[in-house]
Amino acid sequence: TGVLSNVLTLLASFNANIITVNQEMPINNYAFITITLDISNLNVSIDELIEGLKSKKNIKKVELIAFEG
């Protein structure tokens, strides 16, 4: 399976509801992807979610852009 598929599966396992996915055209085999999530039912901490994403193969960078609490 692809990298995006693995990311979405991980997010679903953490009960993160995906609102939007925006992906840029890949350059040098990497694509910039922005995912907007509803984390109201998250079953892990934000830090655990970020670390889980970082641990996935072929993920170069994970960044929290904004948080509305």
Side-chain angles (χ1 to χ4, degrees):
T1 60
V3 176
L4 182 56
S5 175
N6 289 335
V7 166
L8 298 179
T9 298
L10 178 71
L11 293 172
S13 76
F14 290 156
N15 284 346
N17 292 313
I18 298 156
I19 306 299
T20 65
V21 177
N22 296 304
Q23 179 175 343
E24 301 294 324
M25 185 138 96
I27 299 172
N28 296 325
N29 294 320
Y30 284 96
F32 181 78
I33 301 171
T34 303
I35 303 174
T36 305
L37 303 171
D38 173 358
I39 58 167
S40 59
N41 293 316
L42 203 62
N43 59 17
V44 296
S45 70
I46 296 286
D47 290 335
E48 289 172 307
L49 178 126
I50 291 170
E51 288 306 313
L53 290 169
K54 286 181 178 179
S55 72
K56 287 294 186 186
K57 184 178 178 182
N58 295 321
I59 300 293
K60 190 170 185 175
K61 181 179 178 183
V62 177
E63 182 178 348
L64 176 64
I65 297 172
F67 177 80
E68 184 178 312

